[in-house]
Amino acid sequence: MLPASRSIASSRPYAWAVTALLTLLLTGCRSSTPDDPRFSLSGSISGLTVSGLVLANGGDTLNVASAATQFTFPRSVRSGDAYAVSVQSAPAGLSCSVANGSGTMGSANVTNIAVTCVNRNFTLGGSVSGLASSGLTLAYGSELLAVPANATSFVFTTPAAFASAYAVTVATQPPRTSCNVSSGTGTMPAANVTDVAVTCSVVAFTLGGDISGLSADGLVLANGSDRLSVAANAATFSMLTDLAAASAYNITVAAQPAGMNCSVTDGSGTIAAADVSNAQVTCAARQWAWVKGPSTVGGSGTYGTKGVASPGNVPPPRNSAHTWIDAAGDLWLFGGAAFVAGEGDLSDLWKYDHTTQQWTWMHGSNTTNGAGNYGTQLVAASSNEPRARHEGVTWIDSNGKLWLFGGYSDAPGIFGSLNDLWRYDPTTNEWTWIAGSSTANITSNFGALGVAAPGNMPGARLGAVSWLDSTGRFWMFGGFAHPANTYFNDMWSYDPVTGWWTWEGGSDSVNVAGSYGTRGVAATANAPGGRVNATGATNGVNELLLFAGAGFDSTGANGAMNDLWSWDLTTHQWTWLSGSNTNSVAGVYGSQGLSAASNAPGARYSSISWVDSDGRYWMFGGHGANDSGAFSDMNDLWQYDPATHQWTWVNGSASGNAQGVYGTVNVPAPNNSPGGRLLPSGWIDASNRLWLFGGYGWDGHGARYKLSDLWMY
C-alpha cells in the first residue's frame, strides 16, 4: 500500500495511463445528474431461440443471451444525444430486426425498442439416382413435387424454416420402379439441406413382343389372369401387368381374332431383371378346306356296307339333316331331305371319323320316306328306327347318347310334322322311342308354365331350335307346324333323368308377334316372335342365344329376321341383343375382319351357328338378304362378340349366290369357299373347327341343288 503522502501519478512511470482509463470509465457510467442528465436505452426481444445476437448503439454493444425477452444497454445516453440501435450480429438461423431503434434521447428512459427475431428459410433438396422413367412424386408437407425421368437432383419449392422438422417421402412411385428416401427426415439447420438421397431401382418389367399378320379384331393375349385385347393391324404388344424379377411367365392366345389363328413363340420363361420384348405372335387367316364328297350337286351317295367304314363311302346329298358330335370328335348325321333315286326324307344314320376321314353307314334305310319302326316305348331294339324326316332337333347327353325330337316327314300315310322323342346308343347301335306320338300333327300339352309334369309334351313341329345347358338339360324353342302353317314361340326344357317336359316361356298361342322391349335390357314381357328355321347356340354358362329365322316381327308382319336374342337360364327372361325388330333388312358388312357397332348380317333363315371356346357366337350361310337387300343363298361367315356387342364379317360373299371354290381336297387355301347354301349340317369340334356338310345351294360349277360335300374351317 502506498504512503498517504505519495500520489498515484508518482508511484509508477505508467500511472498516467491508469488515471486516464479510470477517468474515461467513470465518465461513461456515471449517473445522471441535474447538470448532465442521462437515461437508459432498453426494450423487448421476441423470437430469440438461440444465442449469438449482438445489438449495437454506436460503439456500445450488447451480447444477448438465448431466450431473452428484454435488453438494456450498459451505457446510458445523455439527454439530447442521438441513438441508433441495430443488429450487429444475428444468431445462426435467425433473422432479427429492430423497430423504434433510433431517435434523440429525451428526458426519460427509452423502453420501447422492439427486437424481433424470426427463423430464416432454407431450401430442402437432394440427389436422385436410378430414375429411368417419369411418374415419381415426392412429398414434403403439402407440396407434391413431380420428378422427371433421368433427374439427378431435386429441390422443393416450399422453403423450410430453420429449426423446423422436415420429412421427405415418396407419394407416387414411377411405373415398374421402387424409389426409397434416405436422410429424408430431420430438423432444419441454419443452411440449405442438400443431402436427402432418393435411390430408385426397377422392380417390375414389361412383357411383350412383336405381332405379325394380324388383320382382324378380336385377339386376346393372356399371361395368367392378365388379359390384353389387341386391335387389328397391331405390330407390337405389351401385357398390362408388369412382372417382378424371377417371375415366371407364359403368354397364350386366350381368344383368336375373327377368322384367324394366332400362335405364340418365345412366350414363356422367367423374368431376368430386364424387360421381355422378344415374344412373337404370328397370325394367319383361317382357310376353308374341301375334305370329302363331290364338288357337284346331286348324285345318290355311296352307302357301302352297313357298319363298315370305307374311303369311298359318302352320304347322299341332302339338306335339313340332324347332327351330333361325340366326345371323340366324330361327326354323326341322321336323315334329312335328300335325293336317292328321287326326292324324299331319309332315316339313315352315319358317322364320320375325323382321324381316318371315312364315313360309316351305321343304321337305318338307304331308301327314302321310310315309315320307321317305333317298337315299344322306352325299350331299345336293333330293329327300332325313327321315321324318315327332316328339320328335327337334336341333343347329346352326358353319357354320349344321341337324342332326336320331331321334324317333318313325307313318309306315306304320315305326311306332316312330328313330336316323337328318340334316343340312340352308339355302344349298342340301337334306337329307343322315348316319348311323343308315333303319328303326325299332334298339338302341344303345355301344362302349367314353369311346372314339369309327366303329361306335358310339345306339339309336332319342324325347324325348331335346340340347346344343351351345362347341367345336361335339353332346351327347345319355336318351330313351325305343317300343314297347319302355324309358327311357335314357346320355350321348353326336358330333363333326361325324369323324362319330363316343362313349358318355360313364350306363348301357348301361335303366330305371335315379337315383343322386343329395350335393346340390351331383359324383361319378363320380352319374347321373340313365332318363327321357323332360326339358329342358336349356348355359351355353356348361363345363356342360350337365338338368331334370325322366318317369322313374325314386332309389327306382326311375317318375314326373315336378323335379330339376336339371349335367354337367361336363371331368370328365364329374353333380351334383344342385336339386329332389327322388323323383317327383311339388308346386311351391313363393313370391312372384312373388323368389328363395328353398325355391322349386322342381313335377315335370313336356315343358317347354322355355334359358340366357340372363347364365348363368341358364329353364324354361316342360310337364305337371306345380301348387302343390297336381295334374297340369296349366302355363304358369308360372321362372328358376334358378346363383350362388345359387335358383329364382324369374317369370310364369304356379301352379295350371295356365290358358287363354291373347292381347290384341292384337304388343302386349305385363301380362295377356297363353300358355295352359298341353306339348311346345311354343321358341327364345331374341340379345336373350334367348323365342319360343314351338304345343304341346298351352289356347287363348284354354278349348279344349285342338294349337296354332299364336306368342308372344314
Side-chain angles (χ1 to χ4, degrees), residues 366-610:
N366 59 358
T367 60
T368 58
N369 297 331
N373 183 21
Y374 281 72
T376 302
Q377 201 165 16
L378 299 177
V379 178
S382 59
S383 58
N384 289 353
E385 182 180 311
R387 179 170 288 121
R389 69 191 67 201
H390 64 272
E391 293 189 62
V393 294
T394 63
W395 307 270
I396 186 167
D397 67 23
S398 58
N399 297 314
K401 295 178 180 178
L402 317 182
W403 293 71
L404 170 71
F405 173 85
Y408 181 84
S409 180
D410 280 322
I414 300 299
F415 186 77
S417 304
L418 305 170
N419 81 330
D420 49 350
L421 180 64
W422 290 82
R423 183 181 67 205
Y424 173 79
D425 188 338
T427 60
T428 63
N429 196 29
E430 292 179 342
W431 283 100
T432 304
W433 172 32
I434 300 296
S437 177
S438 59
T439 61
N441 304 322
I442 302 299
T443 58
S444 298
N445 184 11
F446 284 87
L449 185 65
V451 179
N456 294 352
M457 193 72 199
R461 66 193 67 199
L462 62 100
V465 180
S466 62
W467 303 267
L468 177 70
D469 71 21
S470 59
T471 69
R473 196 174 187 88
F474 305 163
W475 291 80
M476 181 178 69
F477 170 84
F480 179 76
H482 185 73
N485 291 331
T486 52
Y487 296 80
F488 305 113
N489 82 330
D490 48 352
M491 176 71 92
W492 292 83
S493 72
Y494 178 79
D495 188 335
V497 177
T498 65
W500 292 0
W501 286 96
T502 304
W503 172 35
E504 300 282 8
S507 177
D508 56 359
S509 299
V510 297
N511 299 338
V512 175
S515 179
Y516 285 73
T518 302
R519 193 192 306 264
V521 179
T524 303
N526 290 355
R531 65 187 64 195
V532 64
N533 295 132
T535 185
T538 176
N539 63 8
V541 183
N542 199 43
E543 286 184 330
L544 310 179
L545 297 174
L546 174 77
F547 175 72
F552 294 90
D553 65 15
S554 61
T555 70
N558 193 322
M561 307 296 300
N562 81 330
D563 48 353
L564 179 66
W565 294 80
S566 71
W567 169 268
D568 190 303
L569 290 167
T570 301
T571 65
H572 288 192
Q573 292 181 344
W574 284 105
T575 302
W576 171 35
L577 296 176
S578 177
S580 176
N581 61 358
T582 58
N583 67 67
S584 303
V585 299
V588 179
Y589 284 74
S591 298
Q592 194 166 338
L594 301 182
S595 60
S598 58
N599 289 356
R604 68 190 64 204
Y605 54 87
S606 303
S607 55
I608 60 171
S609 66
W610 66 99

Side-chain angles (χ1 to χ4, degrees), residues 37 296 349 358 442 538 542 613 633 709:
T296 57
L349 179 66
Q358 294 182 2
I442 302 299
T538 176
N542 199 43
S613 59
D633 295 338
D709 48 352

Side-chain angles (χ1 to χ4, degrees), residues 45 55 92 152 178 287 356 537 622 647 652 690 694 712:
I45 300 177
L55 298 178
T152 58
S178 177
Q287 299 171 351
T356 65
W647 285 98
L690 167 66
M712 189 268 290

Side-chain angles (χ1 to χ4, degrees), residues 281-299:
V281 178
T282 305
C283 301
R286 292 174 64 176
Q287 299 171 351
W288 285 100
W290 170 37
V291 177
K292 204 171 184 68
S295 61
T296 57
V297 298

